[in-house]
């Protein structure tokens, strides 16, 4: 037997189309002799009915909850270009590495050829990536402060908090399948099982 995993008005990601949609209609498919629907499909306004397996929900990313205080910018020695060959680099003979692990490995690096093409831009990107956990914490603090007393916040601060919340959602939410809902055995099924 099937149970609805989504409800009308719920925002879902339609995987096979690659677009967000809202559930417009929950459509159970009934069969004679069964007390519950045998299948449930969903109309999301895209021209056909979809099954639950084709739809995904936004959910919190577990990785977003991990401690990001250890993100830092380190410098690695450039093995392919000695400092004498690249005096135009901001830090000749090295390139930036953003380390995202407590140990000094794991994170973001850039190929030497890309660094050589525009070292100032890569240095800026490295600083931005290393600062992103603190910027995320600042945005979350703004959202939390406004959520405590939205009526006291000036309109501009409310708008900033809404924008910060939307940006944070793009970072902290991922798509996941709807949780499976177990159908309790009906009384007729229990009678046949006994």
């Amino acid at each position: 037997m099937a149970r609805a995993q989504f409800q009308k008005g719920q925002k879902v990601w339609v995987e096979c189309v690659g677009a967000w949609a809202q559930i417009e209609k929950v459509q159970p498919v009934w069969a004679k002799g069964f007390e519950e629907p045998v299948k449930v499909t969903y109309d999301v306004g895209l021209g056909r009915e979809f099954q639950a397996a084709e739809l995904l929900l936004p959910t919190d990313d577990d990785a977003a909850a991990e401690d990001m205080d250890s993100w830092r910018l380190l410098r690695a020695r450039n093995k392919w270009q000695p400092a004498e060959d690249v005096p135009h680099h901001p830090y000749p003979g090295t390139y930036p590495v953003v380390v995202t692990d407590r140990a000094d490995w794991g994170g973001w690096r850039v190929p030497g050829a890309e660094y050589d093409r525009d070292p100032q831009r890569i240095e800026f990107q490295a600083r931005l990536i290393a600062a992103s956990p603190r910027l995320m914490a600042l945005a979350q603090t703004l959202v939390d402060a406004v959520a405590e007393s939205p009526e006291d916040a000036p309109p501009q601060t409310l708008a900033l908090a809404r924008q910060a919340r939307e940006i944070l959602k793009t970072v902290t939410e991922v798509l996941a399948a709807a949780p499976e809902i177990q159908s309790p055995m009906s009384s007729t099924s229990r009678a046949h099982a006994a």
Side-chain angles (χ1 to χ4, degrees):
M1 298 303 117
R3 290 237 172 140
Q5 294 178 322
F6 303 99
Q7 58 190 358
K8 184 177 179 180
Q10 192 170 13
K11 183 179 176 183
V12 293
W13 176 259
V14 185
E15 185 65 24
C16 59
V17 177
W20 288 101
Q22 281 197 334
I23 304 289
E24 293 179 0
K25 209 183 228 181
V26 178
Q27 300 173 314
V29 178
W30 297 90
K32 190 173 184 175
F34 291 97
E35 293 179 12
E36 295 182 16
V38 292
K39 155 172 117 168
V40 178
T41 61
Y42 304 91
D43 181 359
V44 296
L46 294 175
R48 75 169 179 92
E49 297 173 3
F50 294 90
Q51 295 186 10
E54 298 175 284
L55 306 174
L56 299 172
L57 288 172
T59 185
D60 288 336
D61 187 0
D62 293 336
E66 73 182 38
D67 181 27
M68 294 187 289
D69 290 340
S70 60
W71 287 29
R72 61 206 176 281
L73 182 62
L74 299 178
R75 306 220 52 90
R77 186 178 63 79
N78 189 339
K79 300 179 217 174
W80 299 278
Q81 294 177 314
E84 305 82 45
D85 293 349
V86 287
H88 64 286
H89 286 188
Y91 302 94
T94 67
Y95 63 95
V97 175
V98 178
V99 178
T100 58
D101 192 58
R102 293 208 183 282
D104 284 342
W105 60 282
W108 175 87
R109 289 167 172 70
V110 65
E114 187 177 339
Y115 181 76
D116 193 39
R117 192 181 64 211
D118 193 350
Q120 278 74 21
R121 181 170 162 257
I122 301 300
E123 292 288 341
F124 171 75
Q125 289 175 356
R127 291 190 307 273
L128 179 62
I129 292 169
S132 63
R134 294 189 309 274
L135 292 171
M136 276 183 60
L138 177 67
Q140 188 61 54
T141 302
L142 172 65
V143 169
D144 294 344
V146 170
E148 282 181 20
S149 56
E151 61 281 346
D152 294 337
Q156 187 177 18
T157 305
L158 277 171
L160 286 171
R162 279 190 207 102
Q163 190 176 5
R165 185 179 62 238
E166 291 304 312
I167 291 170
L168 286 169
K169 279 173 50 176
T170 65
V171 176
T172 60
E173 283 188 355
V174 293
L175 297 171
E180 289 294 322
I181 299 175
Q182 296 297 323
S183 175
M185 288 179 67
S186 65
S187 56
T188 55
S189 299
R190 279 190 223 122
H192 291 298

